[in-house]
């Protein structure tokens, strides 16, 4: 027990006053004797004994009364068990990601958390609030009331390490109370390592009652027909006992197809057939889970002819002319000696077919070509100088040619999931007519193989980057060295390697990911490209690359949808953006993930707990009560004790 005013305890010396008074009143009686007064003597003794008891009781009562009243003025208290943290600064980390749309017992998790903060946060409490995208430093609940009430869901997933880094960077002489309000969807053990051990970190984990959810994960071209695309829509189901779901396909807000999907498994592919024309729409489902992942926007541009240039001997390249036909490709062929380097920037794909040497000027030009989004296909020659070839390939990634092996090998393994073959086979083929090579180079690379030999060595590999790819063969594929030209694999392999993702395929980017986009445009010095739709407009990061512009979008747009890329008011290209699907699964909260941390059931309990742990137990009121009690007891003794 401690005292706020210990100096008042000096008044305890006043206790000597009632003791002196008592001693004065207890002076000895003088005896007087009378004749024949036996009965009177006995009465006198009895009265004397009761008088002594009364006076001792009064002394005790007055001593206690005076003691308690002095102690009450000294204001005694018991020190709080967490008294050292009473000066802590408070930080509230509020998860407003899309998974907080889930409904708990009292409505949507985020809205309930905001109501609890507004209702139970003490008005005098100073704190800092951190959401997924916004930060409010050194504020109070009155000042931030409107911002909390208007807080919207963020497309950014909850990142605890980012919030902790901001708190650590906000320097302070005091320790910190960190209250984390999150449903813990997507929370990982590595993120918890970002929590400073000196912080008093408390978690409030609101729980969703409805955990079933179905999301539209992706859209892709499953098959390309003469006049149509067959597109696949991948759905993911999380939970159990799903009913049939309606799925609809829209083009420019117009419904063009609708069907009912039965979810027999965790993943389901729905297919639609659309014309081979410009398509700017979305696919949508209706379920009882989260709303944000029910719609996926995508764009498909009408196919344009792809420019393919082959460098090499004409006799060895005739097979490529039969693959890159005039209806889909602008095909050209040049010997190395007659190659015009100015033509390279206008190509979508370049094939180096068995060149014995690659001049330094060509190497530099091809490096720039790949960086600008062009695909490069390298077929080596047995006469290649390996040192020069390896230096050239090192510009694009980790791949190296070793010694030439004059051993016949069969090509037996296909990477069916590789983009080159993703839509080629209806099912994986175990046995087919294996092509072979009579000699090949041994290749070492960290990139996965597209085609492999029977001994698991690489025949065809690729070096991928966000805009393009470099495809590298391990052997010559002329008819003297290989029968690969006669294999059924030859057409889909070279056809798909030449495809430009910027000219064909589906445009569907994820907000927050820095995926570069190439746009065919010539810009003057002060001209810029903008991206906009009816609701939003922004200027992306852009870099001029001769006759192309490379743009990238990170935190924009804020809302998913279909957009157009514009040069002034001229439309150039369609592009679509979607929210990240990482928080679609509401059932992935790992057990015991937060076992080492304090979990509080509600926001109200957080403030109650902090106040209880850090408030001193004031007991002076009890001493006042005891004072009144002994005052009443003294009156009672005076009146009723004889």
């Amino acid at each position: 027990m401690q005292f706020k005013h210990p100096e008042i305890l000096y008044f305890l010396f006043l206790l000597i006053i009632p003791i002196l008074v008592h001693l004065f009143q207890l002076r000895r009686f003088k005896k007087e004797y009378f004749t024949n007064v036996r009965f009177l003597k006995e009465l006198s003794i009895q009265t004397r004994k009761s008088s002594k008891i009364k006076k001792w009781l009064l002394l005790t009562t007055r001593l206690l009364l005076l003691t308690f009243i002095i102690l009450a003025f000294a204001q005694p208290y018991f020190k709080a068990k967490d008294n050292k943290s009473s000066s802590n600064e408070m930080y509230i980390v509020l998860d407003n990601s899309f998974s907080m749309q889930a409904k708990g017992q009292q409505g949507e998790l985020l809205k309930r958390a905001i109501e609890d903060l507004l209702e139970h946060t003490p008005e005098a409490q100073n704190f800092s609030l951190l959401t997924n995208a916004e930060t409010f430093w050194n504020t109070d609940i009155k000042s931030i009331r409107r911002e909390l009430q208007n807080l919207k869901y963020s497309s950014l997933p909850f990142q605890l390490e980012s919030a902790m880094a901001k708190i650590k960077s906000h320097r302070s002489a005091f320790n910190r109370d960190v209250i984390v309000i999150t449903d813990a969807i997507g929370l990982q053990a590595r993120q918890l390592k970002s929590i400073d051990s000196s912080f008093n970190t408390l978690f409030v984990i609101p729980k969703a009652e409805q955990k079933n959810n179905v999301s539209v994960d992706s859209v892709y071209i499953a098959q390309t027909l003469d006049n149509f695309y067959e597109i696949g829509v991948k759905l993911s189901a999380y939970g159990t006992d799903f009913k049939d779901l309606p799925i609809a396909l829209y083009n420019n807000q117009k419904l063009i197809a609708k069907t009912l999907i039965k979810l027999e498994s965790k993943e389901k592919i729905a297919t639609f057939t659309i014309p081979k024309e410009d398509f700017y729409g979305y696919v949508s489902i209706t379920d009882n889970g989260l709303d944000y992942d029910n719609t996926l926007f995508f764009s498909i541009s009408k196919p344009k002819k792809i420019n393919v240039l082959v460098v090499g001997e004409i006799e060895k390249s005739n097979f490529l002319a039969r693959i890159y036909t005039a209806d889909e490709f602008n095909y050209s062929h040049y010997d190395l000696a007659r190659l015009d380097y100015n033509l390279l920037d206008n190509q979508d794909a370049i094939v180096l077919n068995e060149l014995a040497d690659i001049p330094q000027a060509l190497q530099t030009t091809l490096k720039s070509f790949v960086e600008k989004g062009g695909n490069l296909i390298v077929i080596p020659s047995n006469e290649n100088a390996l040192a020069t070839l390896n230096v050239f390939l090192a510009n694009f990634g980790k791949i190296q040619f070793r010694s030439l092996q004059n051993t016949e090998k069969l090509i037996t393994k296909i990477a069916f999931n590789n983009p080159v073959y993703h839509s080629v086979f209806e099912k994986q083929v175990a046995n087919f007519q294996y092509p072979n090579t009579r000699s090949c180079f041994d290749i070492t690379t960290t990139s996965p193989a597209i085609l492999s030999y029977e001994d698991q060595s690489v025949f065809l590999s690729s070096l991928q980057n966000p805009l393009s790819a470099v495809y590298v063969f391990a052997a010559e594929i002329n008819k003297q060295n290989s029968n690969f030209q006669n294999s059924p694999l030859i057409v889909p392999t070279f056809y798909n390697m030449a495809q430009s993702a910027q000219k064909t395929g589906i445009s569907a980017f994820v907000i927050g990911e820095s995926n570069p986009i190439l746009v065919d445009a010539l810009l003057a010095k002060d001209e810029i490209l903008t991206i906009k739709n009816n609701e939003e407009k922004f200027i992306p990061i852009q870099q001029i690359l001769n006759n192309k512009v490379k743009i990238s979008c990170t935190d924009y747009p804020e809302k998913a949808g279909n957009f157009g890329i514009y040069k002034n008011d001229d439309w150039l290209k369609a592009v679509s953006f979607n929210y990240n699907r990482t928080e679609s699964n509401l059932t992935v909260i790992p057990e015991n993930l937060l076992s080492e941390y304090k979990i509080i059931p509600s926001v109200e309990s957080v403030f109650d707990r902090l106040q209880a742990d850090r408030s001193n137990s004031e007991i002076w009121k009890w001493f006042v009560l005891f004072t009144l009690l002994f005052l009443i007891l003294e009156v009672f003794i005076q009146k009723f004790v004889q």
Side-chain angles (χ1 to χ4, degrees):
M1 185 171 65
Q2 300 183 12
F3 299 90
K4 288 186 178 180
H5 305 290
E7 65 275 6
I8 293 180
L9 295 179
Y10 288 113
F11 286 96
L12 289 175
F13 288 111
L14 296 176
L15 293 177
I16 197 172
I17 295 175
I19 295 174
L20 293 174
V21 172
H22 176 74
L23 293 176
F24 178 77
Q25 289 181 346
L26 288 179
R27 62 189 181 277
R28 296 177 64 109
F29 287 93
K30 184 178 180 181
K31 296 181 180 180
E32 295 291 343
Y33 293 97
F34 299 90
T35 59
N36 198 17
V37 286
R38 182 175 57 85
F39 178 75
L40 185 59
K41 284 183 179 181
E42 292 178 358
L43 179 63
S44 175
I45 293 171
Q46 182 181 353
T47 303
R48 182 181 176 187
K49 288 181 179 180
S50 61
S51 177
K52 285 184 177 182
I53 294 173
K54 180 178 180 180
K55 290 180 179 181
W56 280 110
L57 288 174
L58 288 173
L59 175 62
T60 304
T61 303
R62 289 166 181 168
L63 287 173
L64 291 173
L65 186 151
L66 188 59
T67 300
F68 283 125
I69 197 170
I70 293 172
L71 292 176
F73 277 104
Q75 295 191 23
Y77 66 91
F78 288 110
K79 194 174 182 179
K81 62 179 181 179
D82 196 17
N83 184 66
K84 293 181 180 179
S85 302
S86 57
S87 60
N88 281 11
E89 290 185 344
M90 178 174 289
Y91 296 83
I92 299 176
V93 180
L94 179 59
D95 178 7
N96 63 325
S97 60
F98 283 122
S99 63
M100 292 287 282
Q101 287 181 7
K103 294 179 175 60
Q105 293 181 349
Q106 297 176 310
E108 294 183 16
L109 301 183
L110 178 62
K111 293 181 179 179
R112 182 67 253 176
I114 291 174
E115 290 178 8
D116 286 344
L117 285 172
L118 293 173
E119 183 177 351
H120 300 295
T121 304
E123 293 185 357
Q125 177 68 57
N126 188 270
F127 62 91
S128 297
L129 177 69
L130 294 84
T131 67
N132 291 23
E134 299 174 288
T135 303
F136 305 91
W137 298 112
N138 299 326
T139 185
D140 56 65
I141 200 63
K142 282 186 176 181
S143 304
I144 207 173
R145 181 178 298 274
R146 179 174 297 179
E147 286 79 1
L148 276 174
Q149 291 174 337
N150 296 329
L151 185 64
K152 297 180 180 179
Y153 293 100
S154 172
S155 60
L156 299 176
F158 178 62
Q159 296 179 338
L160 181 62
E161 62 270 38
S162 176
M164 289 299 168
K166 291 180 181 179
I167 294 174
K168 292 176 183 177
S169 66
H170 196 246
R171 296 184 178 181
S172 172
F174 303 99
N175 205 345
R176 299 165 173 87
D177 292 325
V178 181
I179 303 171
V180 182
I181 306 173
T182 176
D183 57 3
I185 297 297
L187 190 64
Q188 299 176 3
R190 62 175 178 80
Q191 296 177 351
L192 296 176
K193 295 180 180 179
S194 64
I195 300 176
D196 195 307
S197 58
S198 65
F199 293 175
N200 178 39
T201 306
L202 308 174
F203 282 88
V204 179
I205 312 292
K207 295 183 179 180
E209 289 192 326
Q210 169 63 30
K211 294 190 176 182
N212 278 7
N213 186 49
V214 180
S215 68
V216 184
D217 280 354
S218 61
V219 176
Y220 60 93
I221 296 177
Q223 189 174 0
T224 302
L225 307 175
D226 290 339
N227 298 313
F228 296 94
Y229 286 127
E230 184 180 279
I231 63 171
V233 181
K234 181 183 176 184
L235 306 177
S236 293
Y238 306 103
T240 56
D241 300 329
F242 289 98
K243 297 181 180 179
D244 294 352
L245 290 179
I247 179 170
L249 182 66
Y250 294 83
N251 186 14
N252 286 323
Q253 305 297 323
K254 181 180 179 181
L255 178 65
I256 62 172
K258 190 172 185 179
T259 187
L260 203 63
I261 295 295
K262 187 174 183 179
L263 296 170
E264 306 97 343
S265 59
K266 299 295 183 183
E267 293 184 356
K268 182 72 176 181
I269 303 296
T271 58
F272 296 93
T273 301
I274 61 175
K276 222 175 187 179
E277 302 290 339
D278 291 340
F279 186 98
Y280 315 122
Y282 60 92
V283 61
S284 178
I285 62 172
T286 303
D287 71 337
N288 294 324
L290 303 175
D291 292 331
Y292 89 96
D293 55 8
N294 288 352
T295 302
L296 192 141
F297 297 90
F298 66 98
S299 306
I300 303 177
S301 297
K302 184 178 180 179
K304 298 179 182 179
K305 286 189 176 182
I306 296 174
N307 300 323
V308 177
L309 185 147
V310 178
V311 183
E313 297 179 13
I314 185 67
E315 296 80 8
K316 296 182 179 180
S317 305
N318 287 332
F319 73 99
L320 294 173
R322 294 192 296 270
I323 296 173
Y324 300 127
T325 54
D327 55 338
E328 294 185 76
F329 298 90
N330 293 319
Y331 176 82
S332 57
H333 177 273
Y334 292 90
D335 289 330
L336 180 60
R338 297 187 301 108
L339 178 63
D340 183 357
Y341 286 15
N342 293 323
L343 298 175
L344 300 184
D345 275 342
N346 297 323
Q347 306 304 313
D348 297 305
I350 295 176
V351 182
L352 302 182
N353 188 19
E354 300 183 24
L355 297 182
D357 182 48
I358 305 175
Q360 183 61 47
L362 180 58
Q363 293 185 33
T364 303
T365 305
L366 290 176
K367 179 183 178 182
S368 175
F369 167 76
V370 172
E371 291 174 348
K372 295 175 182 178
N375 289 345
L376 177 64
I377 303 169
V378 179
I379 305 172
S381 168
N382 288 350
E383 300 175 4
N384 273 127
L386 294 187
T388 303
L389 183 61
N390 286 335
V391 170
F392 170 59
L393 292 177
N395 292 318
F396 311 111
K398 294 182 178 180
I399 185 168
Q400 293 287 286
F401 277 71
R402 302 300 182 189
S403 59
L404 180 67
Q405 299 178 2
N406 294 309
T407 304
E408 183 173 338
K409 290 184 180 181
L410 294 178
I411 302 166
T412 61
K413 186 177 179 181
I414 303 172
F416 294 99
N417 292 327
N418 191 278
V420 172
Y421 298 121
H422 181 69
S423 59
V424 173
F425 299 92
E426 293 183 358
K427 61 179 181 178
Q428 295 188 10
V429 180
N431 295 308
F432 61 97
Q433 187 177 357
Y434 300 133
N436 64 15
T437 60
R438 294 180 176 85
S439 63
C440 67
F441 289 97
D442 183 24
I443 291 180
T444 59
T445 179
T446 57
S447 301
I450 301 175
L451 292 172
S452 301
Y453 287 110
E454 54 190 335
D455 62 358
Q456 306 302 315
S457 59
V458 176
F459 172 68
L460 173 61
S461 183
S462 66
L463 304 170
Q464 298 286 338
N465 65 55
L467 290 174
S468 59
V470 177
Y471 298 95
V472 181
F473 285 86
E476 295 178 341
I477 57 174
N478 57 62
K479 292 186 177 180
Q480 288 73 33
N481 189 60
S482 174
N483 63 352
F484 187 70
Q485 292 186 24
N486 300 325
S487 168
L489 292 174
I490 186 71
V491 173
T493 300
F494 278 89
Y495 180 92
N496 289 328
M497 286 193 300
Q499 295 296 313
S500 170
Q502 305 296 328
K503 284 191 173 182
T504 61
I506 288 179
S507 166
F509 297 97
V510 176
I511 297 174
E513 295 183 1
S514 182
N515 292 313
I517 304 169
L518 278 181
V519 183
D520 293 329
L522 289 173
L523 296 183
K525 183 177 180 181
D526 297 328
E527 287 184 316
I528 58 172
L529 300 182
T530 58
I531 299 179
K532 62 182 179 179
N533 62 9
N534 294 332
E535 299 181 14
E536 196 172 351
K537 178 181 179 180
F538 63 96
I539 299 174
I541 300 171
Q542 44 201 281
Q543 178 185 2
I544 299 176
L545 305 172
N546 295 337
N547 59 342
K548 298 180 181 180
V549 180
K550 176 183 175 182
I551 63 177
S552 59
C553 311
T554 51
D555 297 334
Y556 292 95
E558 295 182 350
K559 188 177 181 181
N562 292 317
F563 291 77
I565 301 176
Y566 290 83
K567 175 186 175 182
N568 298 323
D569 293 327
D570 297 330
W571 182 92
L572 299 178
K573 186 175 182 177
V575 63
S576 301
F577 294 93
N578 295 280
Y579 300 123
N580 198 309
R581 264 51 174 170
T582 56
E583 298 194 347
S584 295
N585 189 356
L586 298 175
T587 63
V588 296
I589 303 177
E591 295 183 2
N592 301 322
L593 179 64
L594 299 171
S595 58
E596 298 180 3
Y597 296 89
K598 302 173 186 175
I599 300 179
I600 312 300
S602 66
V603 174
E604 180 182 7
S605 301
V606 169
F607 292 106
D608 289 344
R609 175 168 178 168
L610 291 178
Q611 184 177 7
D613 289 347
R614 294 171 186 178
S615 297
N616 296 327
S617 299
E618 305 281 351
I619 58 174
W620 62 269
K621 295 179 181 179
W622 287 101
F623 286 90
V624 172
L625 290 176
F626 285 131
T627 300
L628 294 175
L629 176 63
F630 285 107
L631 181 60
I632 295 171
L633 185 59
E634 180 180 356
V635 173
F636 179 83
I637 293 172
Q638 291 279 19
K639 187 172 182 180
F640 297 103
V641 178
Q642 299 299 327

